[in-house]
Amino acid sequence: ADLIRQRVGEKWRTQDVEAALQNAPLVIVTFRILKNGEVRDIKLEKSGGNYSLNQSTLRAIQEASPLPPLPDGFRRDSATVEFHFQFKR
């Protein structure tokens, strides 16, 4: 989980968000991680109320893919993840 947070955090380019925006409501994004680490089905669950902010969160997930593979003992073909983004300048 920490590695996923780190990877996505490194890819979240907040400088792409409108300069006038100082803070925003929580943005929630869900996605699936396949056994091989590939990311699928990225979905904006809760908007931050700003298009550029929402797009920056979706792009961060896309650019972080592939993520580390799921552990060998993981019994399903994929894991669903809910990721929270809190924007403040």
Side-chain angles (χ1 to χ4, degrees):
D2 288 336
L3 186 53
I4 293 170
R5 272 192 289 276
Q6 179 185 349
R7 278 264 197 63
V8 172
E10 289 170 355
K11 299 297 182 181
W12 190 24
R13 296 189 316 256
T14 56
Q15 68 272 17
D16 294 347
V17 177
E18 294 172 26
L21 188 65
Q22 294 301 305
N23 58 48
L26 187 70
V27 178
I28 300 175
V29 177
T30 58
F31 56 94
R32 287 186 319 124
I33 303 173
L34 303 183
K35 278 212 179 251
N36 66 357
E38 184 180 340
V39 173
R40 294 268 178 98
D41 305 326
I42 303 169
K43 183 177 175 186
L44 183 68
E45 295 290 337
K46 182 178 179 292
S47 171
N50 179 281
Y51 178 80
S52 65
L53 173 61
N54 293 340
Q55 290 305 305
S56 75
T57 63
L58 296 170
R59 186 174 42 251
I61 302 294
Q62 290 169 338
E63 290 181 2
S65 181
L67 294 168
L70 296 176
D72 290 334
F74 196 79
R75 296 177 189 215
R76 291 187 240 147
D77 291 335
S78 66
T80 301
V81 176
E82 181 176 283
F83 212 90
H84 294 207
F85 291 84
Q86 184 66 57
F87 181 78
K88 292 181 183 179
R89 286 195 207 252

